[in-house]
């Protein structure tokens, strides 16, 4: 029995991203393709998303010109691949405030947004620091925070302080303070609805970029496998490792159940197809009665 | 309030609907940015202007981000001490710094429209800071929060109109972002 269907939908990509950004310490090891994705969770009379991507009107030219981001498509086009309209989305979990995760709230007019309170408060603090400490405030657009003010006024923004159980039935939020960002979080779907679930999925946000963060060679420290954190941490890589351990324990250490959204190889593990726009649609699981969107 | 004081308030705070400083006025359009001007005019003065704009732009960007964040927290948490946080004091310091820097900014030919956007952003930041600070001690925060939100949003669109990635006037620092591939 499964309550929810989960799809990972690619909405653009960077063809060549330096590997050391993905894997801590992987210097001079070349480039990898980095897909940008968001997650759709459908079931129990809800359509939820994990992150909402960015709006190409605001950032498209800069990202295209400077960083080679290609093939951006709007949520209407991307969500249509799984038969959903942006207006049908009622809940959005924002794993962190970086522009490529929180940069398109306007396209989801009927959704309520959840974000960690710490993500806002520590960013405000970071913005107050001297210019020489500017590194600590990268990748957040003040415009997204401005739009957050409107969401809050309309009672469509909820700030969460730490963990929150059953935000939707069987869906929990977990905080990873001072990790990738000051108030990152991940989303856990207990797909059988049980407290001690045998069917748990973790949507990791940017706490895990790719499978290699969960399983890489541990030869350097004389173990078979180990976690290797992502390259970018405003907090610390140690906190990323601790968050990874908690995520892995929630899924009984079955690594395939921790879903990294920047992973190009998701289609090696889960049924996938490429849309006519050249973007990947990956089906993580299907709710009872739901038809496949990739076969 | 006396009639004279009322008249002063009205003159000081009311703008024609099409005035750039009207809260409900039309959304500003992007103006020629220093890098575009430099390409056509090829002037050292433009380059100096662009360089002098950067700290002003950064001050305003930070004020907008901080006030917005504080507004969210004021609305969504029960903390009433937000008005006493050092971050708000820091905004005030930055505001004064931006005012001073803008008053000293030399404006070569062709940059007046650009400067006007910075001035409008500063004006709305100033108004937002004033409204926000005056919330202290009030029973109902709602109307003041709404007004501050509108003012800060307006400041943002003016600053956005003055943005130029090539001139170093950008809303988002992408240098360490997920997208900062160097392919």
């Amino acid at each position: 029995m499964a309550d929810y269907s989960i799809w990972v939908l690619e909405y653009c990509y960077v063809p060549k991203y330096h590997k050391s950004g993905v894997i801590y310490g992987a210097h001079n090891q070349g480039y990898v393709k980095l897909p940008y994705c968001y997650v759709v969770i459908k079931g129990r009379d809800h359509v939820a998303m994990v992150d909402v991507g960015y709006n190409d009107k605001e950032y498209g030219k800069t990202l295209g010109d400077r960083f080679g981001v290609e093939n951006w498509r709007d949520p209407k086009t991307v969500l249509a691949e799984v038969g959903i309209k942006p207006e049908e989305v009622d809940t959005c979990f924002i794993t962190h405030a970086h522009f490529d995760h929180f940069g398109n709230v306007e396209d989801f007019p009927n959704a309520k947004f959840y974000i960690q309170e710490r993500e806002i408060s520590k960013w405000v603090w970071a913005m107050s620091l001297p210019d020489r400490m500017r590194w600590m405030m990268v990748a957040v657009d003040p415009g997204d925070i401005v739009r957050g003010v409107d969401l809050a006024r309309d009672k469509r923004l909820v700030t969460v302080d730490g963990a929150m159980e059953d935000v939707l039935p069987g869906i929990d939020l977990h905080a990873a303070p001072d990790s990738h960002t000051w108030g990152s979080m991940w989303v856990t779907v207990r797909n059988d609805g049980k407290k001690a679930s045998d069917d748990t999925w973790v949507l990791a946000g940017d706490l895990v970029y790719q499978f290699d963060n969960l399983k890489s060679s541990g030869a350097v420290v004389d173990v078979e496998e180990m976690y290797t954190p992502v390259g970018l941490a405003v907090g610390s890589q140690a906190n990323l490792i601790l968050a990874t351990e908690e995520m892995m324990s929630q899924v009984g250490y079955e690594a395939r159940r921790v879903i990294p959204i920047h992973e190009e190889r998701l289609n090696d593990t889960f049924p996938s197809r490429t849309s006519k726009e050249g973007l990947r649609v990956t089906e993580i699981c299907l709710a009872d009665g739901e038809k496949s969107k990739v076969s | 309030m006396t009639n004279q004081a009322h008249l002063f308030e009205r003159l000081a705070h009311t703008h024609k609907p099409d005035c750039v400083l009207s809260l409900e006025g039309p959304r500003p359009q992007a103006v020629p940015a220093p890098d575009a001007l430099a390409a056509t005019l090829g002037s050292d003065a433009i380059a100096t202007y662009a360089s002098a704009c950067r700290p002003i732009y950064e001050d305003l960007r930070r004020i907008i981000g901080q006030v917005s964040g504080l507004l969210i927290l004021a609305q969504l948490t029960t903390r009433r001490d937000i008005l006493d946080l050092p971050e708000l004091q820091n905004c005030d310091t930055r505001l004064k710094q931006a005012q001073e820097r803008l008053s000293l900014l030399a404006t070569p030919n062709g940059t007046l429209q650009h400067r006007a956007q910075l001035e409008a952003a500063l004006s709305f930041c100033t108004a937002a800071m004033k409204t926000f600070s005056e919330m202290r001690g009030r029973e109902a925060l709602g109307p003041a929060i709404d007004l501050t939100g509108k003012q800060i949003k307006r400041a943002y669109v003016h600053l956005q109109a003055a943005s130029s990635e090539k001139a170093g006037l950008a809303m988002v620092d992408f240098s360490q972002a997920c997208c900062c591939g160097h392919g």
Side-chain angles (χ1 to χ4, degrees), chain A residues 17 34 36 58 66-67 99 124-125 127-129 131 134-135 139 142-143 146 149-150 153 206 232, chain B residues 58 61-62 66 68-69 75-76 87 90 94 146 153 156 160 165 171-174 176 178-180:
Chain A
Y17 182 81
L34 194 76
Y36 282 30
E58 306 288 343
R66 258 186 79 183
F67 304 114
F99 77 98
V124 170
W125 166 77
M127 290 284 279
S128 75
L129 298 173
D131 292 355
R134 187 176 166 160
W135 188 88
V146 171
V149 176
D150 284 345
R153 183 201 59 213
D206 273 2
L232 173 60
Chain B
E58 179 64 11
R61 189 181 81 92
R62 297 234 203 158
Q66 284 187 276
S68 302
Q75 288 182 90
L76 299 183
E87 284 85 347
N90 177 273
R94 279 205 180 262
D146 278 355
K153 199 169 168 181
Y156 176 76
Q160 197 179 34
E165 214 262 335
M171 283 291 180
V172 190
D173 181 353
F174 293 114
Q176 296 294 325
C178 318
C179 56
C180 66

Side-chain angles (χ1 to χ4, degrees), chain B residues 83-96:
Chain B
L83 291 163
D84 300 318
L85 290 176
E87 284 85 347
L88 193 59
Q89 184 59 45
N90 177 273
C91 280
D92 208 39
T93 306
R94 279 205 180 262
L95 190 65
K96 289 189 177 83

